[in-house]
């Protein structure tokens, strides 16, 4: 009897548990960066589910470095979205009437940080149900650049390269020839699905326009490349011209440096000579000083002469004084007052003696 009662109770709990059901299966969704991801969560309830309706979406980040985060919540006929800062303003319910059985959400402007497992939980007591959706965000190939690595000359070896700026792996490449016969050389066929085509012993038949298309699971991008295989150029003449041009440039630079250095030396020399003239050359000797010295030296011998020969000596002395010393105006600067008075006294003595 006890076992039968226990079986009945278990069956009743199971019926209650199955009363609320999410009809969407668990799935994986891949979207490109910048797009909008639709995460479905549709449910049904039974007559036994009489409690208030609560809906909760959680995110388990892919790096497993953070705990589960609530990103949006419905409870008590209200919606709450300010839970997860990284998704703020980018997540919302798709239905205007959630009680009708649609708790699906949209995540807009997808970023790589949005990658993870999203879980929808629906509760209407006594019924409870949940489903998980794995979201993967991929980057479309973009910024494709086609270029030639090497010299496009007949007989040369070079490479055709196709490089995307960004794009989630795995990437698939496809080369095509768009001009002329649109037939790719047979030697290139093994590399038609690789990012690099190695060209050996190039011929003029390889010339034309080529395209490279890069694809992944969420998008594709393409670039064009123009290949012109030309005869070899005169490399010796080009090298000689480059060498001559370099030498002429060096000679010109040397001349400019030499002229500037010479001019600076001349200016420096002129400044030094001018400075030496101002400091080392003494001023010209005064004519008045010469006359004064001459008179003073002769006046010192007057005291030893007698009156009998004074007259003859004075005439001789007078005639020996250079006339130009008294007639010409002195060329030296004005003497200080003390020296002027001394000169004047000497002149007066000489005049008195001569008279």
């Amino acid at each position: 009897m006890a076992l039968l009662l226990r079986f009945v109770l278990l069956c009743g709990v199971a019926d209650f548990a199955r009363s609320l059901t999410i009809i969407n299966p668990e799935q994986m969704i891949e979207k490109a960066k910048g797009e909008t991801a639709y995460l479905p969560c549709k449910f049904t309830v039974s007559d036994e589910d009489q409690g208030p309706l609560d809906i909760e979406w959680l995110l388990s980040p892919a790096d497993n470095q953070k705990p589960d985060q609530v990103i949006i919540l419905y409870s008590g006929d209200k919606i709450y979205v300010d839970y997860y800062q990284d998704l703020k303003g980018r997540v919302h319910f798709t239905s205007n009437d959630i009680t009708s059985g649609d708790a699906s959400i949209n995540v807009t402007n997808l970023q790589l940080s949005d990658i993870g497992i999203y879980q929808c939980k629906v509760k209407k007591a006594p019924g409870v149900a949940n489903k998980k959706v794995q979201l993967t965000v991929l980057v479309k190939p973009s910024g494709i650049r086609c270029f030639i690595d090497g010299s496009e000359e007949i007989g040369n070896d070079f490479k055709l390269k196709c490089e995307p700026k960004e794009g989630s792996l795995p990437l698939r490449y496809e080369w095509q020839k768009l001009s002329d016969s649109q037939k790719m050389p047979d030697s290139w066929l093994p590399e038609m699905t690789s990012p690099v085509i190695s060209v050996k012993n190039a011929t003029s038949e390889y010339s034309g326009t080529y395209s490279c298309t890069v694809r992944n699971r969420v998008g594709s991008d393409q670039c064009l490349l123009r290949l012109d295989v030309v005869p070899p150029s005169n490399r010796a003449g080009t090298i000689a011209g480059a060498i001559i041009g370099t030498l002429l440039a060096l000679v010109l630079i040397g001349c400019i440096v030499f002229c500037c250095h010479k001019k600076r030396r001349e200016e420096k020399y002129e400044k030094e000579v001018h400075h030496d003239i101002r400091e080392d050359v003494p001023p010209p000797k005064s004519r008045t000083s010469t006359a004064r010295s001459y008179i003073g030296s002769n006046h010192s011998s007057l005291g030893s002469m007698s009156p009998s020969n004074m007259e003859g000596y004075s005439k001789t002395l007078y005639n020996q004084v250079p006339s130009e010393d008294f007639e010409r105006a002195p060329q030296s600067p004005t003497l200080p007052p003390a020296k002027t008075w001394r000169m004047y006294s000497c002149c007066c003595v000489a005049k008195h003696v001569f008279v």
Side-chain angles (χ1 to χ4, degrees), residues 58-268:
L58 298 95
L59 169 61
S60 301
D63 57 8
N64 295 321
Q65 299 295 322
K66 299 178 181 178
D68 291 353
Q69 302 285 330
V70 176
I71 60 175
I72 192 169
L73 178 67
Y74 174 85
S75 180
D77 294 332
K78 290 184 179 181
I79 298 174
Y80 304 90
V81 296
D82 296 331
Y83 285 101
Y84 189 48
Q85 189 66 28
D86 291 349
L87 285 173
K88 185 176 182 180
R90 297 194 293 119
V91 58
H92 58 272
F93 287 106
T94 59
S95 175
N96 293 327
D97 185 10
I98 299 176
T99 59
S100 62
D102 189 358
S104 304
I105 61 172
N106 279 337
V107 180
T108 61
N109 189 21
L110 287 172
Q111 304 298 317
L112 295 179
S113 59
D114 299 338
I115 297 175
I117 297 176
Y118 292 74
Q119 182 174 231
C120 175
K121 288 185 176 182
V122 181
K123 179 180 179 182
K124 187 173 177 64
V128 177
N130 66 83
K131 287 289 183 179
K132 294 180 180 180
V133 179
Q134 183 173 346
L135 175 62
T136 301
V137 180
L138 303 176
V139 179
K140 292 181 180 180
S142 63
I144 311 298
R145 186 172 75 98
C146 293
F147 63 97
I148 301 171
D149 184 7
S151 178
E152 313 167 49
E153 296 181 353
I154 295 176
N156 280 1
D157 297 342
F158 52 84
K159 294 180 180 180
L160 308 182
K161 293 187 175 182
C162 179
E163 295 181 353
K165 184 177 180 180
E166 60 179 2
S168 298
L169 300 176
L171 296 173
R172 301 189 305 274
Y173 297 83
E174 181 182 353
W175 288 89
Q176 288 183 340
K177 189 175 184 180
L178 305 179
S179 60
D180 300 334
S181 64
Q182 298 186 355
K183 181 181 179 181
M184 300 289 285
D186 293 339
S187 59
W188 296 9
L189 295 180
E191 298 178 319
M192 293 298 296
T193 57
S194 67
V196 179
I197 293 179
S198 298
V199 180
K200 304 292 185 180
N201 192 21
T203 66
S204 58
E205 297 178 356
Y206 294 170
S207 299
T209 302
Y210 297 83
S211 70
C212 175
T213 303
V214 184
R215 294 185 174 89
N216 63 8
R217 294 196 298 268
V218 293
S220 64
D221 197 8
Q222 185 183 75
C223 65
L224 299 179
L225 174 66
R226 177 65 190 180
L227 174 62
D228 292 311
V229 182
V230 297
S233 60
N234 187 2
R235 297 183 180 179
T238 303
I239 296 174
I243 293 175
I244 293 174
T246 303
L247 292 176
L248 290 176
L250 292 175
V251 170
L252 179 60
I253 294 173
C255 292
I256 294 174
V257 172
F258 175 77
C259 292
C260 294
H261 182 66
K262 183 178 179 182
K263 186 176 180 181
R264 291 181 62 183
R265 289 186 62 184
E266 290 177 353
E267 292 177 352
K268 183 178 179 181

Side-chain angles (χ1 to χ4, degrees), residues 232-308:
S233 60
N234 187 2
R235 297 183 180 179
T238 303
I239 296 174
I243 293 175
I244 293 174
T246 303
L247 292 176
L248 290 176
L250 292 175
V251 170
L252 179 60
I253 294 173
C255 292
I256 294 174
V257 172
F258 175 77
C259 292
C260 294
H261 182 66
K262 183 178 179 182
K263 186 176 180 181
R264 291 181 62 183
R265 289 186 62 184
E266 290 177 353
E267 292 177 352
K268 183 178 179 181
Y269 177 76
E270 291 178 359
K271 290 181 180 179
E272 291 178 353
V273 171
H274 182 67
H275 182 71
D276 292 343
I277 292 175
R278 294 183 60 185
E279 292 188 356
D280 299 339
V281 177
K285 187 176 292 186
S286 171
R287 295 288 186 180
T288 306
S289 301
T290 304
R292 184 182 63 188
S293 301
Y294 181 81
I295 294 173
S297 62
N298 287 280
H299 178 70
S300 62
S301 61
L302 292 178
S304 61
M305 292 185 180
S306 61
S308 61

